């Protein structure tokens, strides 16, 4: 147990030198749960990069990747240490290319935790990139982009779970 504490303390002291975190995802669309994770991360890191992942071989999704980038930039404009970048390929490759020393992932519950832990281990083993997992806050713990899209497509009101700029874009998209 003491060895684990020493290892964790050493890792945490190393993180004081790590100033940039990459928060990767499709963010299709970004919602308030994502924004809450980013806001929390700005308290821990000097810079946070929201990485909008895009696989050019797959359909673009609800919004085109470039549209997602612009919507996210507008949604995080109040956070001066946050930038938004589009990337394709491996998350760890993007982290290295963007100068991020750590990956950031949000966790809503046990299922997310299991999946994110597996990914974190693989990213650490294959590329040496550590991951920080942040729990969702109570207000956004059940929000997902899938639910946002489904509710919007069926004419429901999603304004309470997405930034205003995103709500307007979704309204235009489904009109």
């Amino acid at each position: 147990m003491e060895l684990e504490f020493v290892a964790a303390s050493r890792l945490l002291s190393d993180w004081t030198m790590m100033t940039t975190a990459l928060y990767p995802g499709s963010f299709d669309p970004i919602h308030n749960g994502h924004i809450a994770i980013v806001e929390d991360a700005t308290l821990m890191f000097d810079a946070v990069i929201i990485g909008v992942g895009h696989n050019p071989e797959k359909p673009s999704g609800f919004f085109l990747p470039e549209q997602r980038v612009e919507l996210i930039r507008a949604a995080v404009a109040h956070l001066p240490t946050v930038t938004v970048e589009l990337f394709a390929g491996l998350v760890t490759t993007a982290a290295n290319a963007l100068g991020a020393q750590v990956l950031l992932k949000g966790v809503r519950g046990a299922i997310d935790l299991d999946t994110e832990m597996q990914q974190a281990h693989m990213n650490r083993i294959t590329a040496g990139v550590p991951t920080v997992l942040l729990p969702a806050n109570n207000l956004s713990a059940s929000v997902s982009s899938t639910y946002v899209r489904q509710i919007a497509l069926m004419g429901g009101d999603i304004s309470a779970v997405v930034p205003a700029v995103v709500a307007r874009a979704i309204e235009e998209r489904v009109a």
Side-chain angles (χ1 to χ4, degrees), residues 28-29 62 144-156 158 174:
D28 192 23
F62 194 71
S144 77
S145 295
T146 300
Y147 290 152
V148 169
R149 288 190 307 268
Q150 288 173 345
I151 292 167
L153 288 169
M154 293 181 168
I158 45 83
V174 299

Side-chain angles (χ1 to χ4, degrees), residues 12-89:
L12 287 174
S13 69
D14 288 348
W15 280 353
T16 60
M17 292 182 280
M18 297 182 199
T19 59
T20 302
L22 174 64
Y23 181 32
S26 59
F27 305 107
D28 192 23
I30 195 162
H31 55 69
N32 292 343
H34 295 130
I35 300 297
I37 293 293
V38 173
E39 288 173 342
D40 286 349
T42 63
L43 303 174
M44 298 170 22
F45 301 100
D46 292 328
V48 176
I49 302 167
I50 300 173
V52 179
H54 171 60
N55 182 344
E57 295 178 12
K58 289 189 176 182
S60 65
F62 194 71
F63 288 112
L64 294 172
E66 296 78 12
Q67 290 173 307
R68 285 183 252 156
V69 167
E70 291 309 311
L71 287 171
I72 296 167
R73 284 182 178 148
V76 298
H78 66 289
L79 301 169
T81 61
V82 177
T83 57
V84 184
E85 299 292 337
L86 183 62
F87 75 92

Side-chain angles (χ1 to χ4, degrees), residues 2 4 25 32 39 61 67 72 85-86 88 94 99 102 104 112 118 122 126 139 143 161 175:
E2 186 175 317
E4 289 177 15
N32 292 343
E39 288 173 342
Q67 290 173 307
I72 296 167
E85 299 292 337
L86 183 62
V102 65
L104 173 67
D112 281 355
Q118 290 175 358
M122 288 303 295
T126 60
L139 297 176
V143 179
V161 295

